[in-house]
Amino acid sequence: MKYMMMMNTPGGGPYQVGQWAPKDLHAHIAFMKGFAERLTASGELVAAEGLAGPDQARLVRAGKNGQPITDGVFPESKEFLAGYWIVDVSGPERAYELAAQASAAPGPGGEPLNMAIEVRQVMCAPPPDPL
């Protein structure tokens, strides 16, 4: 079963990690790389990406003529998606275990961030007769 694990970060402009001490940022990145390596070695990693900061986010919708209409940046937003992992695991309990590991990524001073990780199953297809 595939699950997407999404790490959100507080809003309010650029990512706060840009203000961390270099050693704390390096430790955080090393943790994330190691986490991805462990998921790859176990065969559970499907995809993972970090995303550009919320100061670069835009909402896009089609106008009446089909041309893109953009809106943003949204500094007042409470949180933004910082990155995600898609994992292929035996069930939700394993996805929750992995999400807890990601949540414990080190922050300033090496303290675990304990950030909420949203976990949602990736659906394989719509039902044959959705109506």
Side-chain angles (χ1 to χ4, degrees):
M1 302 174 82
K2 291 182 184 173
Y3 289 86
M4 179 177 264
M5 305 184 318
M6 296 166 277
M7 177 180 273
N8 290 293
T9 186
Y15 288 147
Q16 288 79 17
V17 296
Q19 300 166 8
W20 291 4
K23 69 178 181 77
D24 293 334
L25 181 57
H26 290 295
H28 183 79
I29 291 170
F31 174 92
M32 290 299 179
K33 285 181 175 180
F35 184 61
E37 288 169 0
R38 289 189 302 279
L39 290 175
T40 298
S42 70
E44 296 172 306
L45 185 64
V46 174
E49 296 292 341
L51 301 175
D55 55 326
Q56 299 176 43
R58 302 289 183 278
L59 288 179
V60 179
R61 64 181 174 85
K64 291 183 182 186
N65 62 359
Q67 294 299 308
I69 298 173
T70 62
D71 193 12
V73 179
F74 303 99
E76 69 280 358
S77 294
K78 288 175 44 179
E79 59 186 30
F80 283 92
L81 184 61
Y84 67 90
W85 301 265
I86 296 177
V87 294
D88 193 352
V89 294
S90 59
E93 292 77 18
R94 178 61 179 155
Y96 302 154
E97 289 173 15
L98 295 174
Q101 291 174 28
S103 173
E111 291 294 317
L113 290 172
N114 295 329
M115 293 179 71
I117 306 292
E118 182 179 350
V119 178
R120 295 174 63 185
Q121 185 176 2
V122 176
M123 304 305 290
C124 59
D129 185 11
L131 301 178

